[in-house]
Amino acid sequence: MSASMPNARPRAVFQSFDEPSDPATVAPRIAALRAELAARGLAGFVIPRSDQHQGEYVPPCDERLAWATGFTGSAGAAVVLADKAALIVDGRYTLQSAAQTDTSVVTPVQMAEQSLEAWIEANLPAGGVLGHDPWVHTPEQAAKLEAAARRAGGRLEAVRPNPIDGLWQGRPKPPRAPVTLHAEALAGEGAATKIARVRAALAKAKLDALVISDPHNLCWLLNIRGGDVPHTPLALGYGVLLADGPVRLVIDPAKLSAAVREALAPVAEPADIADFASLLASLAPGRSFRLEAGSAACAIRDIIIEAGGTAEMGSDPIALMKAAKNASELDGSRAAHRRDGAAMARFLSWFADKAPAGGLTEIDAVEELERFRRETNALREISFSSISGAGPNAALPHYRVSRASNRPIEPGIFLIDSGGQYEDGTTDITRTLAVREVSEEMRRHYTLVLKGHVAISRAVFPKGTSGAQIDALARLPLWEAGLDFDHGTGHGVGSYLSVHEGPQRISKVGHTPLELGMILSNEPGYYREGHYGIRIENLIVVEPRDVPGAERVMYGFETITLAPYERALIEPSLLTEAERAWIDAYHARVLAEIGPALTGEAERAWLKAACAPL
Amino acid sequence: MSASMPNARPRAVFQSFDEPSDPATVAPRIAALRAELAARGLAGFVIPRSDQHQGEYVPPCDERLAWATGFTGSAGAAVVLADKAALIVDGRYTLQSAAQTDTSVVTPVQMAEQSLEAWIEANLPAGGVLGHDPWVHTPEQAAKLEAAARRAGGRLEAVRPNPIDGLWQGRPKPPRAPVTLHAEALAGEGAATKIARVRAALAKAKLDALVISDPHNLCWLLNIRGGDVPHTPLALGYGVLLADGPVRLVIDPAKLSAAVREALAPVAEPADIADFASLLASLAPGRSFRLEAGSAACAIRDIIIEAGGTAEMGSDPIALMKAAKNASELDGSRAAHRRDGAAMARFLSWFADKAPAGGLTEIDAVEELERFRRETNALREISFSSISGAGPNAALPHYRVSRASNRPIEPGIFLIDSGGQYEDGTTDITRTLAVREVSEEMRRHYTLVLKGHVAISRAVFPKGTSGAQIDALARLPLWEAGLDFDHGTGHGVGSYLSVHEGPQRISKVGHTPLELGMILSNEPGYYREGHYGIRIENLIVVEPRDVPGAERVMYGFETITLAPYERALIEPSLLTEAERAWIDAYHARVLAEIGPALTGEAERAWLKAACAPL
């Protein structure tokens, strides 16, 4: 059946291709907000994209930036003053912000040209009071806003309730997806021992309590999952862990079934999220709290301090514990990657069969790949909206296809970056594919990117080395050609949690030492604006490395993603012998581990050819 | 004449080999200090090694840590309480601190095991007041001390005058070396245009004034030099630069001759350093000051704030201006390196001739090398005490030979790290030399270090890249063998100023982008404790690099140090073709640029052989 017959194709379930907002709503909403600000005596108001947890995925009820400005990107902030308003976004959202907002009302500003703080400093009227919602800013963010407001001759004021919430007609209710238990066989460690480890870390730091403000950390600690945001199996809520008392699971009680309550009873005491502020205030007197600087809201700090406690901004010790996966989590992840690899192989085989004839679009590819993943019968979600880029769209590293942007896949390069959420692991893979003829230049660029990718895969480094120290390995072949890419080489990945997890990362700002069991992506790229883009991504795990004669404890990476590279884009003459040997060995492993899972004759034949030695 | 006849050899002028302190003085001095602390109601006092400028080299009158504890290392701090005292040092000074102090009175503590703050927290009695001299701590350091004192249940108090100063019999007077003018032909830019650039930076930051607390920045700004500390031609003093007034040169007036005063008159107004506090207080009201976080004392901040100004801790914009050398400075540095390279070649030739017969010592090598440098008739100083290490002493990266530690140079490896201060440039070079037979293992280790050194020399990277991003290039060949070294790959170097200059550096904490004209060292190493050490060091300059087809502005390094590597330690089979070609080309350049400067037949023959293709 031809892939160009839309009705015969399965529809994507987890990904939407709709335009999510309408610029026509912007003017009346900004006008209503201005009236509300005037009534409250505020000269302006800051609207970040963040929710109360500073999360990457935000529930619909917290999409205040989208409500006010129309902008639906994953990062940005607006400032609305009486006579002007700005939407500050980073470089990847320049076009999208201008298209989604009403530019006659809200001016899109590129962060590199003028930061949020610089815009405030230049535009807030002297004597003006800039409002902000203390639940959606961290103390560090608020301090920067405050300094900017002061430089403008005004000041910052925390305001509650958020002035948008009363104006928002039909505002969605906060999500109430049921909390589920994450089996200990998959988690590899019970909540009780995890809590004991966190208590030991608190004791070492001489602190009395920890507020768990990042729901990923909460889910990890209690071995629970949920469904409150897209793509990540997150239960939104807080935890309060006392050195001398029970762990409080601060959550909407409607999310907890009787069975889950009972299972959690030995380790956590539920508390209604509606009473979070009063709970904090009751626990605070005389206690020293650690708050996570990157996710804890100003409001949490203020409540603790006003109630007579102390609040130290720092790291949540759970973040590092969660980052280093145990043997059960790694076994689960390997199984998930074999399963996902088989789905990818089926997709790649299908693509190799269908794409050359023409007629496929970016959306077709996304839908077909999701179908192969769903046919594993184990897919819970996709781990993010697939990036499916044909031609010049592949040169946009964060491109997300919509029905309006959807391009036909024509001869040249096609890039697809996608992943699946399975209960035993989260995957994330990018392959750049050739469609019919590719130019010598495309082959050269692909091979330079591949060399960097292989350099990370093969890296050997001493214990204590950070991702920042090895990031350049992925860039050297490009640098020698006068090229580079403008994103990090790799991000941390969770265990049936977020596909973007910190603090581990391979980038120039990734200063966390790489520890055994951490899962990261390895995804160098090259983007020729207006023409094509290349990215090659596998997930890798930090593993011990036995080097003969070593005087240091050495680490390296195990690659857990299993899918062939695009041989039509590899120029073998640019590879060293060692690089070629590594690729051949990897392909042999892919064939051995994925081959048996393929049932179709054509798919097996395709994989065998794709995995032959170069 | 044999090198083993001491009286026939020239003596080193700039380097001393004496043991600089006596443990017997420690007990009575600590006792006197305790009496003084008791009289002032203090439970304890902190004695850092730093002077008022947080400098690496400190004038004798500010060697309070050495006076109190006997310890003369370049970093460390003591805390003296009523019943105990600790000397906290880093790993390189473990042995030296124990040897120099009286351990029955002062307990040496290794920083990695217990930090200064952790020791205070564990030992300051509850309710105790810990004193500190606010002129020798930065606000950031004082904040850490204060937090530690608070955790111990006590508090920190700034005390003046420093309690040591009244007890110190025969305390040296502050240095009063005459200020000299650094010729504009060498500086490449007049003080007036430098000041204008700093004013522009202040205006951009919307600040009214800058306190220049790092004398290196002061000397650069006004094109002056001095002689107040060992090895660095530094005039100690402060500067105060106002957006709307003259630059104040705050200095002991005795250092300024009439001619220097007159030359400086158009750009700076002298102010007596004895009146610095009242000058600051008179300028502070209503002005916003920038202070350099790394060098400005607490006292400076406090005076400004008490007098009604504001003080923002940040970077001194001069530091980055000074780091990027202009064409005149680079021409000067190249000339200095040719001159120094010729002296090094004479030394290396002498060493190759004399060392195999035996009888030479580490001190002999230092004295001979200094003699060759002095024979250039241009040497103003050595840029630091030479590190001359035979056998196991070479495995100590910061070893400084004394008459007591002096070892004979025996067959195997000898390491010498040294440099010269010339009016046109500062040099710093390390060569590791073979004496008679060297083992296969030594050759392998030397070659691995050389590969890392060549990787930095050959590196090509985009504008904006920091030293932290390329540091690993120097380590990869060692990492692959399970080896590493525990210091940064490179430090910044001044222009007839400090041999250790920031903010530029190649190390995992070197986050300053590398800019055109910055001079850095490139000095990977390998140290086999108790056996031998290897380090290979050249100075390099960031230069533009024209890469065909480049899409980014690319930089690379020009190597300015000119001296052959030790071919007896190179194992060519471990080198790639590109590495070998780079080394051969470098040696050809050394021969072409240094050869003509050598007059002795034997020296010329030696250099030719040393620079032959591998």
Side-chain angles (χ1 to χ4, degrees):
Chain A
M1 209 174 304
S2 161
S4 60
M5 295 171 65
N7 290 334
R9 267 184 290 117
R11 303 287 296 274
V13 172
F14 295 119
Q15 183 156 350
S16 152
F17 308 104
D18 298 332
E19 290 296 337
S21 69
D22 175 7
T25 62
V26 176
R29 289 177 182 175
I30 296 289
L33 179 58
R34 284 183 170 139
E36 175 68 20
L37 297 180
R40 295 199 194 188
L42 296 173
F45 189 68
V46 188
I47 312 166
R49 194 263 177 179
S50 327
D51 66 359
Q52 303 197 356
H53 308 282
Q54 303 291 320
E56 178 178 3
Y57 292 110
V58 165
C61 63
D62 287 325
E63 293 275 17
R64 296 186 186 92
L65 183 64
W67 178 86
T69 68
F71 173 67
T72 59
S74 67
V79 190
V80 178
L81 302 178
D83 57 344
K84 55 186 103 169
L87 170 60
I88 289 96
V89 297
D90 62 56
R92 55 195 159 128
Y93 289 123
T94 310
L95 296 177
Q96 182 177 333
S97 58
Q100 290 188 317
T101 197
D102 176 345
T103 56
S104 73
V105 180
V106 176
T107 309
V109 173
Q110 218 193 299
M111 195 183 293
E113 279 157 31
Q114 194 173 29
S115 68
L116 174 62
E117 289 77 22
W119 193 90
I120 290 170
E121 183 181 346
N123 292 285
L124 182 70
V129 178
L130 181 67
H132 83 115
D133 177 349
W135 282 99
V136 296
H137 285 111
T138 66
E140 191 183 332
Q141 291 164 351
K144 283 189 190 170
L145 295 176
E146 187 167 21
R150 261 203 239 138
R151 284 194 300 270
R155 62 187 175 84
L156 186 76
E157 191 173 286
V159 297
R160 293 292 299 165
N162 192 306
I164 289 176
D165 298 359
L167 305 171
W168 189 341
Q169 310 265 326
R171 182 178 173 220
K173 290 252 182 311
R176 287 185 157 179
V179 169
T180 57
L181 299 172
H182 189 56
E184 194 169 321
L186 296 172
E189 184 180 9
T193 68
K194 290 181 176 181
I195 292 167
R197 286 204 282 151
V198 179
R199 285 225 167 86
L202 272 189
K204 207 177 157 194
K206 298 194 178 176
L207 291 165
D208 302 321
L210 170 73
V211 173
I212 302 163
S213 47
D214 179 345
H216 300 85
N217 293 346
L218 181 67
C219 288
W220 177 88
L221 184 73
L222 299 178
N223 289 335
I224 57 175
R225 297 293 186 269
D228 290 337
V229 300
H231 307 319
T232 301
L234 212 55
L236 291 180
Y238 295 95
V240 183
L241 191 152
L242 301 182
D244 61 351
V247 174
R248 299 318 202 290
L249 167 59
V250 184
I251 200 163
D252 185 332
K255 295 184 197 173
L256 299 176
S257 68
V260 166
R261 268 170 206 275
E262 194 185 321
L264 290 176
V267 292
E269 192 174 285
D272 191 334
I273 198 161
D275 306 325
F276 183 38
S278 55
L279 174 71
L280 279 179
S282 73
L283 297 174
R287 283 205 173 90
S288 57
F289 283 74
R290 165 71 59 82
L291 305 187
E292 189 179 45
S295 68
C298 280
I300 296 177
R301 185 200 53 178
D302 296 346
I303 292 167
I304 290 171
I305 291 172
E306 276 161 34
T310 63
E312 173 188 299
M313 305 309 298
S315 59
D316 181 339
I318 295 173
L320 265 182
M321 297 178 190
K322 171 168 110 277
K325 276 71 181 172
N326 59 38
S328 304
E329 290 173 315
L330 293 177
D331 281 349
S333 190
R334 288 183 195 106
H337 277 88
R338 279 191 298 273
R339 187 183 311 123
D340 198 66
M344 272 302 290
R346 293 186 65 201
F347 167 76
L348 294 172
S349 161
W350 168 86
F351 187 88
D353 182 42
K354 303 294 185 200
L360 288 187
T361 67
E362 294 166 343
I363 289 181
D364 292 331
V366 171
E367 292 184 329
E368 202 69 16
L369 176 53
E370 189 180 310
R371 179 173 73 85
F372 286 118
R373 283 203 166 103
R374 276 189 282 118
E375 285 179 7
T376 65
N377 293 319
L379 187 74
R380 298 304 179 98
E381 244 283 14
I382 54 173
S383 41
F384 57 97
S385 290
S386 303
I387 296 168
S388 171
N393 284 346
L396 307 170
H398 297 90
Y399 172 66
R400 182 180 158 295
V401 54
S402 70
R403 302 230 176 265
S405 71
N406 192 23
R407 281 181 73 95
I409 296 171
E410 291 173 340
I413 272 179
F414 171 68
L415 181 155
I416 187 151
D417 184 351
S418 68
Q421 290 282 12
Y422 305 94
E423 216 178 354
D424 47 3
T426 301
T427 73
D428 185 1
I429 174 173
T430 308
R431 286 296 181 269
T432 302
L433 307 173
V435 180
R436 298 174 64 123
E437 286 77 36
V438 287
S439 68
E440 198 187 309
E441 193 174 48
M442 289 172 179
R443 286 165 56 89
R444 188 170 75 92
H445 287 149
Y446 182 92
T447 308
L448 293 179
V449 173
L450 182 61
K451 285 167 77 78
H453 170 89
V454 171
I456 295 288
S457 312
R458 295 179 60 224
V460 182
F461 48 88
K463 178 181 173 175
T465 300
S466 69
Q469 291 178 264
I470 62 167
D471 176 69
L473 303 195
R475 302 177 194 273
L476 291 180
L478 290 163
W479 284 358
E480 282 172 15
L483 312 174
D484 199 4
F485 56 95
D486 290 329
H487 56 74
T489 296
H491 53 81
V493 176
S495 214
Y496 189 46
L497 269 174
S498 179
V499 75
H500 288 162
E501 177 182 279
Q504 73 276 28
R505 60 201 290 191
I506 303 174
S507 95
K508 67 178 176 180
V509 294
H511 301 306
T512 301
L514 297 172
E515 291 181 15
L516 293 177
M518 284 177 168
I519 301 181
L520 297 122
S521 72
N522 166 16
E523 49 177 316
Y526 167 73
Y527 308 94
R528 172 155 284 191
E529 206 185 320
H531 293 86
Y532 57 85
I534 293 160
R535 186 161 66 252
I536 305 172
E537 178 186 27
N538 283 344
L539 298 194
I540 54 181
V541 180
V542 182
E543 64 171 5
R545 193 57 64 92
D546 191 24
V547 178
E551 295 175 358
R552 309 280 173 127
V553 175
M554 303 302 293
Y555 291 169
F557 295 116
E558 171 195 356
T559 294
I560 53 175
T561 298
L562 295 166
Y565 302 116
E566 175 56 275
R567 45 204 304 129
L569 280 165
I570 298 176
E571 174 48 58
S573 69
L574 295 177
L575 298 173
T576 66
E577 258 179 71
E579 287 164 346
R580 199 168 162 151
W582 188 92
I583 295 166
D584 283 345
Y586 175 70
H587 278 158
R589 210 185 120 209
V590 171
L591 183 61
E593 298 200 31
I594 298 301
L598 299 182
T599 49
E601 201 55 51
E603 288 163 353
R604 295 175 79 134
W606 175 86
L607 186 68
K608 198 173 166 198
C611 291
L614 289 179
Chain B
M1 208 174 309
S2 161
S4 60
M5 295 171 66
N7 290 334
R9 269 185 289 116
R11 303 286 296 274
V13 172
F14 294 119
Q15 182 156 351
S16 152
F17 307 104
D18 297 332
E19 291 295 337
S21 68
D22 175 6
T25 62
V26 176
R29 289 176 181 175
I30 296 289
L33 178 58
R34 283 182 172 141
E36 174 69 20
L37 297 179
R40 295 198 194 187
L42 296 173
F45 189 68
V46 187
I47 313 166
R49 195 261 177 180
S50 328
D51 66 359
Q52 303 197 357
H53 307 281
Q54 302 291 320
E56 179 178 1
Y57 293 110
V58 165
C61 63
D62 286 326
E63 292 275 17
R64 296 186 185 91
L65 183 63
W67 177 86
T69 68
F71 173 68
T72 60
S74 68
V79 189
V80 178
L81 301 179
D83 57 345
K84 56 186 102 172
L87 171 61
I88 288 94
V89 297
D90 63 55
R92 45 190 171 134
Y93 288 124
T94 310
L95 296 178
Q96 182 177 332
S97 58
Q100 290 188 316
T101 197
D102 176 345
T103 56
S104 72
V105 179
V106 175
T107 309
V109 172
Q110 218 194 297
M111 195 184 292
E113 278 157 31
Q114 194 173 29
S115 68
L116 174 63
E117 289 78 21
W119 194 90
I120 290 169
E121 182 181 348
N123 291 285
L124 182 70
V129 178
L130 182 67
H132 84 115
D133 176 349
W135 281 99
V136 296
H137 285 111
T138 65
E140 191 183 331
Q141 291 164 351
K144 282 187 191 172
L145 294 175
E146 187 167 23
R150 260 203 238 139
R151 284 194 300 269
R155 62 186 177 84
L156 186 75
E157 191 174 288
V159 297
R160 291 293 300 167
N162 192 307
I164 289 176
D165 297 357
L167 306 171
W168 188 342
Q169 310 264 326
R171 182 177 172 219
K173 291 252 182 309
R176 287 185 158 181
V179 168
T180 57
L181 299 173
H182 188 56
E184 194 168 321
L186 296 172
E189 183 180 10
T193 68
K194 290 181 177 183
I195 291 167
R197 286 205 282 149
V198 179
R199 285 225 168 87
L202 271 189
K204 206 176 157 194
K206 300 195 176 174
L207 291 165
D208 302 320
L210 169 72
V211 174
I212 302 163
S213 47
D214 179 344
H216 299 86
N217 292 345
L218 181 67
C219 288
W220 177 88
L221 183 73
L222 299 179
N223 289 336
I224 57 175
R225 297 293 186 269
D228 290 337
V229 300
H231 308 317
T232 300
L234 213 54
L236 292 179
Y238 295 95
V240 183
L241 191 152
L242 301 182
D244 61 352
V247 175
R248 300 318 204 288
L249 167 58
V250 185
I251 200 162
D252 184 333
K255 296 184 196 173
L256 300 176
S257 68
V260 167
R261 267 170 206 276
E262 194 185 322
L264 291 175
V267 291
E269 191 174 287
D272 191 334
I273 197 162
D275 306 325
F276 182 38
S278 55
L279 174 70
L280 279 178
S282 72
L283 297 174
R287 282 205 174 90
S288 57
F289 282 74
R290 166 71 59 81
L291 305 187
E292 189 179 43
S295 68
C298 280
I300 297 177
R301 185 201 52 179
D302 296 345
I303 291 166
I304 290 170
I305 291 172
E306 275 161 36
T310 64
E312 172 187 300
M313 306 308 298
S315 60
D316 180 340
I318 295 174
L320 264 182
M321 297 177 189
K322 170 169 112 276
K325 276 70 183 172
N326 59 39
S328 304
E329 290 172 315
L330 292 177
D331 281 348
S333 190
R334 289 184 194 106
H337 277 88
R338 279 191 298 272
R339 188 183 311 122
D340 198 65
M344 271 303 290
R346 294 186 64 202
F347 167 76
L348 293 171
S349 161
W350 168 87
F351 187 87
D353 182 42
K354 302 295 186 200
L360 287 187
T361 67
E362 294 166 344
I363 289 180
D364 293 332
V366 171
E367 292 184 328
E368 202 68 18
L369 176 52
E370 190 181 309
R371 180 173 73 84
F372 286 119
R373 284 202 166 104
R374 276 189 282 117
E375 285 179 8
T376 64
N377 293 321
L379 187 74
R380 298 304 177 99
E381 243 283 14
I382 53 174
S383 40
F384 57 97
S385 289
S386 303
I387 295 169
S388 169
N393 284 346
L396 306 171
H398 297 89
Y399 173 65
R400 181 181 160 293
V401 55
S402 71
R403 303 229 176 266
S405 70
N406 191 23
R407 281 180 73 96
I409 296 172
E410 290 173 341
I413 272 179
F414 171 68
L415 182 156
I416 187 152
D417 184 351
S418 68
Q421 289 282 11
Y422 305 93
E423 216 177 354
D424 48 2
T426 301
T427 73
D428 184 2
I429 173 173
T430 308
R431 286 296 181 266
T432 301
L433 307 174
V435 180
R436 299 174 65 121
E437 286 77 36
V438 287
S439 68
E440 199 185 308
E441 194 174 48
M442 288 172 180
R443 286 165 56 89
R444 187 170 76 93
H445 288 148
Y446 181 93
T447 308
L448 294 178
V449 172
L450 182 60
K451 285 168 77 79
H453 170 90
V454 171
I456 295 288
S457 313
R458 295 179 59 224
V460 183
F461 48 88
K463 178 180 172 177
T465 300
S466 69
Q469 290 178 263
I470 62 168
D471 176 69
L473 303 196
R475 301 176 194 273
L476 291 180
L478 290 163
W479 285 358
E480 282 172 13
L483 311 175
D484 199 5
F485 56 95
D486 290 328
H487 57 73
T489 297
H491 53 81
V493 176
S495 215
Y496 189 46
L497 269 175
S498 179
V499 75
H500 288 162
E501 176 181 280
Q504 74 275 30
R505 60 201 290 192
I506 303 173
S507 95
K508 66 178 177 180
V509 295
H511 301 305
T512 301
L514 297 172
E515 291 181 14
L516 293 178
M518 285 179 169
I519 302 181
L520 297 121
S521 72
N522 166 15
E523 50 177 316
Y526 167 73
Y527 307 95
R528 174 154 282 190
E529 205 185 320
H531 294 85
Y532 57 87
I534 293 160
R535 186 162 63 254
I536 305 171
E537 179 186 25
N538 283 344
L539 297 194
I540 54 182
V541 180
V542 182
E543 65 171 4
R545 192 58 64 90
D546 191 23
V547 178
E551 296 175 357
R552 309 281 172 127
V553 175
M554 303 302 293
Y555 291 169
F557 295 116
E558 171 195 356
T559 294
I560 52 176
T561 297
L562 295 166
Y565 303 116
E566 174 57 276
R567 45 204 304 128
L569 279 165
I570 298 176
E571 175 47 56
S573 69
L574 296 178
L575 298 174
T576 66
E577 259 178 70
E579 288 165 346
R580 201 169 160 149
W582 189 91
I583 295 166
D584 283 345
Y586 174 70
H587 277 158
R589 208 185 122 209
V590 171
L591 183 61
E593 298 200 31
I594 298 302
L598 299 182
T599 49
E601 202 54 52
E603 288 163 353
R604 294 175 80 130
W606 175 86
L607 185 68
K608 197 172 169 201
C611 291
L614 288 180

